């Protein structure tokens, strides 16, 4: 095993130990390959991570070895320049998470075996007010990426009517994500309700393609619009993050005219840096506009008046105000009979 390297990143010396350790066995990609990938996509990933509390998905032994999510930066053994932000979980407990202020923070995380970066939809200055809506289009059994692309285009139509700019990207798996930057003026509860209202409108327009049904038994062969990705402490892989799969795919920003013509496996550790070098970053202007979600909240209030109120939260959450029963529909029917 080669000795450690020292690399200057953003004016800081970052140590890279065990650079030849194989991280993606099926592709032969090493720890140094991962490290250099994150440097190559530096501007793009900093647009996604900059000043955001970030959970690290670490694989110290590479894909297939021990893995864990790190939500707290250790109090000892880290460089003095590492910045953190304190966030609060639904339970009320708090943690100081990595909060990348420059690319050296990303490089340090890669040195620590981080493959996937999961930032919160907030910035350090307003950790309880999201500054983006995240719409997760999750293909269910019997559907695939092509189906998610069709739903994404329906979503774009709704966003266009609202005057919103949506920013699509591959999830790195079978799905698609669409982000909308918003003003940091609303709570997590309000942002989640805005996404639910948006998702319901997409479902109304394409009921054969999209569903907001939380319970899997009700979804059928449709793309689930996972509104709970906007709940506090629920995060998804950011733009340009690698994914922990054998192919070393990356969650990759797209232009809207690409959404129906690409495949997730087109974008990986090797191809994405070359794509940026040739085409630039499709999300380069993502921070130029922040939208007002008042109209979506009005849609949410309208839906509630029509009997479509809040939706179930993830099972680990405390019971939330206005939330319906967290009982699987088939089980609820049995209890009633």
């Amino acid at each position: 095993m080669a000795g450690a390297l020292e690399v200057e990143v953003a004016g800081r010396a970052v140590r890279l130990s065990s650079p030849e350790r194989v991280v993606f066995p099926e592709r032969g990609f090493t720890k140094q390959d991962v490290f250099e990938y994150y440097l190559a996509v530096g501007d793009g990933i900093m647009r996604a991570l900059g000043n955001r509390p970030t959970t690290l998905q670490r694989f110290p032994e590479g894909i297939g070895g021990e893995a864990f999510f790190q939500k707290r930066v250790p109090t000892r053994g880290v460089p003095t320049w590492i910045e953190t932000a304190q966030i609060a979980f639904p339970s009320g407990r708090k943690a100081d998470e990595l909060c990348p202020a420059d690319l050296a923070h990303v490089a340090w995380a890669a040195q620590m075996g981080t493959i996937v970066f999961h930032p919160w939809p907030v910035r350090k200055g307003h950790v309880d007010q999201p500054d983006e809506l995240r719409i997760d289009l999750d293909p269910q059994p019997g559907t695939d990426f092509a189906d998610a692309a069709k739903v994404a285009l329906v979503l774009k139509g709704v966003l266009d009517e609202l005057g919103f700019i949506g920013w699509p990207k591959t999830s790195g798996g079978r799905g698609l994500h669409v982000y909308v930057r918003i003003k940091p003026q609303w709570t997590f509860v309000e942002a989640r309700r805005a996404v639910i209202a948006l998702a319901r409108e997409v479902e109304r327009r394409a009921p054969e393609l999209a569903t907001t049904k939380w319970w899997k038994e009700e979804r059928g062969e449709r793309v689930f619009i996972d509104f709970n990705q906007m709940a506090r402490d629920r995060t998804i892989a950011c733009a340009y993050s690698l994914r922990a799969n054998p192919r070393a795919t990356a969650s990759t920003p797209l232009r809207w005219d690409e959404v129906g013509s690409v495949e997730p496996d087109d974008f990986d550790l090797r191809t994405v840096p070359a794509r940026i070098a040739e085409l630039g970053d499709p999300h380069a202007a993502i921070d130029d506009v922040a939208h007002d979600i008042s109209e979506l909240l009005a849609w949410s209030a309208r839906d509630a008046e029509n009997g479509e109120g809040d939706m179930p939260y993830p099972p680990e959450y405390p019971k939330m105000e206005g939330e319906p029963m967290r009982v699987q529909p088939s089980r609820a029917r049995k209890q009633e009979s």
Side-chain angles (χ1 to χ4, degrees):
M1 191 72 70
L5 305 176
E6 189 173 280
V7 182
E8 183 175 330
V9 183
R12 304 186 188 279
V14 180
R15 184 174 182 270
L16 175 63
S17 63
S18 304
E20 294 182 0
R21 177 183 296 150
V22 175
V23 174
F24 289 95
E26 290 195 17
R27 302 292 304 276
F29 295 147
T30 65
K31 185 177 179 182
Q32 185 168 358
D33 290 328
V34 172
F35 188 92
E36 292 177 349
Y37 166 84
Y38 280 121
L39 298 187
V41 301
D43 289 345
I45 200 164
M46 283 307 301
R47 268 188 282 276
L49 291 179
N51 296 313
R52 296 189 184 279
T54 301
T55 299
L56 308 178
Q57 190 175 358
R58 294 175 55 190
F59 295 78
E61 300 170 2
I63 302 302
E66 178 190 5
F68 59 94
F69 288 88
Q70 181 172 322
K71 296 189 175 186
R72 292 174 169 82
V73 171
T75 56
R76 293 185 295 177
V78 301
T80 57
W81 45 264
I82 289 291
E83 294 194 19
T84 62
Q86 188 174 88
I87 45 85
F89 301 116
S91 64
R93 293 181 299 108
K94 296 182 178 181
D96 293 321
E97 287 203 333
L98 181 71
C99 190
D102 56 33
L103 191 58
H105 288 70
V106 179
W108 172 80
Q111 149 63 17
M112 299 297 289
T114 300
I115 300 297
V116 191
F117 291 84
H118 295 263
W120 282 49
V122 301
R123 305 276 187 175
K124 187 171 186 176
H126 42 81
V127 295
D128 293 314
Q129 287 80 40
D131 72 337
E132 65 185 8
L133 302 181
R134 297 174 174 179
I135 302 97
D136 180 13
L137 306 178
D138 183 12
Q140 300 301 289
T143 65
D144 57 18
F145 182 83
D147 297 297
K150 293 175 184 176
V151 175
L153 294 175
V154 177
L155 170 63
K156 183 179 186 299
V158 179
L159 294 175
D160 287 347
E161 292 173 20
L162 286 164
F164 287 6
I165 301 173
W167 302 90
K169 68 183 183 72
T170 67
S171 68
R174 299 173 63 244
L176 274 163
H177 302 151
V178 179
Y179 286 7
V180 176
R181 288 285 204 261
I182 65 173
K183 298 175 182 179
Q185 298 175 357
W186 294 275
T187 66
F188 273 96
V189 169
E190 290 169 319
R192 177 178 172 274
R193 287 178 179 167
V195 169
I196 291 173
L198 186 58
R200 281 175 168 152
E201 183 60 25
V202 172
E203 183 180 32
R204 292 184 192 107
R205 298 188 185 196
E208 75 289 356
L209 292 174
T211 180
T212 60
K213 300 296 185 184
W214 174 247
W215 303 105
K216 291 183 179 180
E217 65 183 32
E218 295 186 310
R219 294 177 188 170
E221 293 187 359
R222 292 177 290 180
V223 174
F224 173 50
I225 307 174
D226 189 356
F227 50 85
N228 269 331
Q229 294 296 1
M230 275 309 303
R232 181 185 288 272
D233 192 35
R234 297 285 284 217
T235 58
I236 51 183
C238 72
Y240 295 112
S241 175
L242 293 170
R243 300 309 307 269
N245 59 42
R247 279 200 49 76
T249 60
S251 182
T252 304
L254 303 175
R255 302 188 311 268
W256 276 110
D257 62 3
E258 296 179 294
V259 167
S261 61
V262 298
E263 293 292 336
D265 284 352
D266 293 341
F267 310 109
D268 63 24
L269 185 151
R270 281 284 179 257
T271 63
V272 170
R275 170 183 166 86
I276 293 177
E278 180 183 358
L279 302 175
D281 179 9
H283 286 194
I286 193 171
D287 289 316
D288 288 357
V289 177
H291 297 290
D292 184 322
I293 63 171
S294 297
E295 186 168 355
L296 285 176
L297 293 176
W299 289 9
S300 178
R302 175 205 63 195
D303 290 345
E305 290 178 359
N306 294 332
E308 293 183 304
D310 203 357
M311 302 280 267
Y313 274 78
E316 70 272 17
Y317 272 63
K319 181 67 175 178
M320 303 295 285
E321 183 179 354
E323 180 189 4
M325 292 179 61
R326 295 183 197 173
V327 180
Q328 194 172 324
S330 58
R331 184 174 299 174
R333 289 192 292 269
K334 288 180 182 178
Q335 292 174 352
E336 291 172 358
S337 62

